[in-house]
Amino acid sequence: MRVTVLTGGTSSERDVAIASAVQVVAALRSRGHHVSVVDTAKGYIPAADEPHFLSGKVGRTPPAIEELVALERGLLLSGLGVLPVMRDADVIFVSLHGGRGEDGTLQAILDVAGVPYTGSKALGTALAMDKDVAKQLFRQAGIPTADWVMAPATPEEVEARLGWPVVVKPSKQGSTVGLSLVKSPAELIPAIELAGRYDDEVMIEAFIPGRELTVGVLDGRALAVGEILCQSEIFDYESKYTPGLAREVFPADLPGNVGEECRRLALGAHRALKLGGYSRVDFRLDGTGQPSCLEVNALPGMTATSLLPQSAAAAGIPFAELCERICLAVRSE
Ligand SMILES: Nc1ncnc2c1ncn2[C@@H]1O[C@H](COP(=O)(O)OP(=O)(O)O)[C@@H](O)[C@H]1O
Ligand SMILES: [Mg+2]
């Protein structure tokens, strides 16, 4: 296959995206595929090209459909500065996290351009990116999730609706950026202000003490459940990306049917958000053994030691095979 890995981008998770891409590229090459790399952040129309770009005239008849398809692919993707490798790829491997790469915008552009790409479509990625909408869909589908309110909210309202502590976070972010654990009323407003720097919508969610679990989903099947053990109360940016600060156990050591239940809920959450291809579903497990879904990552980290690849490996799918299956799923659509 000719695969173009689309990475970089302009979100706060740019470095994470590139870290994933480096390994995805190596894995796909190791399986004999022809791989190119594109950074979406470098795609723009230089000022010197604008006069030419904006000089199109309306003809007497509309262009043929074939011409339009070719044009759409050309025009839209030339914005990425890399026309041939985008147009000629059998599959675009989307290795972006956060921002326009994970909120459905890029997927919509690729849809219009007519190039096949990995993972979920525009709607699914957009739903998964918006934690408020996602949680409403979880509730509707019977997937347990912590109570929440959206800002603005006074400390009195939060105390009445949720109690303390709460987690304050941007509704559409990732990697724990802009997130605070708020233990007392006085900390609420500064936490909302911090989260508000990353998103105009801020969520205030009941804190669930307990264990942190994650489940990969691939091709309509829930993979192994894993547990994240980290020193801090929340799985923060530093713990996520500094080697040694968190330890992951796959499969997680869980009592009774908790693991099975998490896998069932993971698939339910994946479907509730209309996701396709693959995803990673995160849970908190409280002291009573009840899992609550935190979120679904439509484009989870993809280094060989990231959580989804570990979940796959524990289910018998090595990293290179995982990368390849993610591409093949697109081709068989
Ligand atoms: N309601 C909550 N209760 C307990 N911990 C939480 C809660 N919300 C978030 N966290 C902690 O913060 C981390 C990041 O939160 P999450 O909602 O997954 O956002 P992100 O998209 O930034 O990963 C979680 O993995 C978890 O450790
Ligand atoms: Mg998360």
Side-chain angles (χ1 to χ4, degrees), residues 28-148:
L28 289 171
R29 284 189 179 142
S30 79
R31 304 280 288 204
H33 301 295
H34 187 271
V35 184
S36 312
V37 183
V38 167
D39 180 347
T40 63
K42 296 187 176 164
Y44 76 107
I45 295 156
D49 292 350
E50 278 184 14
H52 172 69
F53 183 66
L54 298 174
S55 69
K57 298 210 169 53
V58 181
R60 284 171 55 208
T61 54
I65 289 177
E66 293 81 349
E67 242 179 274
L68 284 176
V69 169
L71 263 182
E72 275 182 341
R73 292 175 70 137
L75 279 178
L76 282 165
L77 293 175
S78 63
L80 295 173
V82 283
L83 180 58
V85 278
M86 295 295 288
R87 187 189 54 213
D88 300 338
D90 295 313
V91 176
I92 305 292
F93 194 112
V94 182
S95 179
L96 292 162
H97 303 306
R100 300 225 178 273
E102 197 170 350
D103 71 358
T105 309
L106 180 91
Q107 287 74 13
I109 289 173
L110 296 178
D111 279 337
V112 174
V115 290
Y117 57 93
T118 57
S120 298
K121 299 295 174 213
L123 177 62
T125 44
L127 295 174
M129 190 67 172
D130 189 311
K131 291 188 169 77
D132 181 30
V133 173
K135 282 167 71 77
Q136 294 183 41
L137 292 171
F138 295 159
R139 283 270 159 103
Q140 213 151 38
I143 313 288
T145 191
D147 288 338
W148 79 103

Side-chain angles (χ1 to χ4, degrees), residues 207-228:
F207 175 72
I208 304 171
R211 299 166 71 177
E212 178 112 2
L213 305 177
T214 192
V215 188
V217 174
L218 176 70
D219 297 339
R221 172 181 157 222
L223 305 169
V225 183
E227 176 167 18
I228 297 117

Side-chain angles (χ1 to χ4, degrees), residues 131 175-176 212 240 280 282 294-295 297:
K131 291 188 169 77
S175 289
T176 327
E212 178 112 2
K240 279 176 177 170
R280 201 195 76 225
D282 295 343
L294 277 179
E295 63 156 346
N297 299 279

Side-chain angles (χ1 to χ4, degrees), residues 13 131 135 146-147 166-167 169-170 173-177 179 181 205-209 212 230 233-236 240 280 282 284 294-295 297:
E13 292 172 277
K131 291 188 169 77
K135 282 167 71 77
D147 288 338
V166 292
V167 173
K169 51 184 150 184
Q173 249 294 326
S175 289
T176 327
V177 173
L179 180 149
L181 175 57
E205 194 180 35
F207 175 72
I208 304 171
E212 178 112 2
C230 65
E233 276 168 297
I234 54 171
F235 191 28
D236 57 16
K240 279 176 177 170
R280 201 195 76 225
D282 295 343
R284 295 288 289 193
L294 277 179
E295 63 156 346
N297 299 279

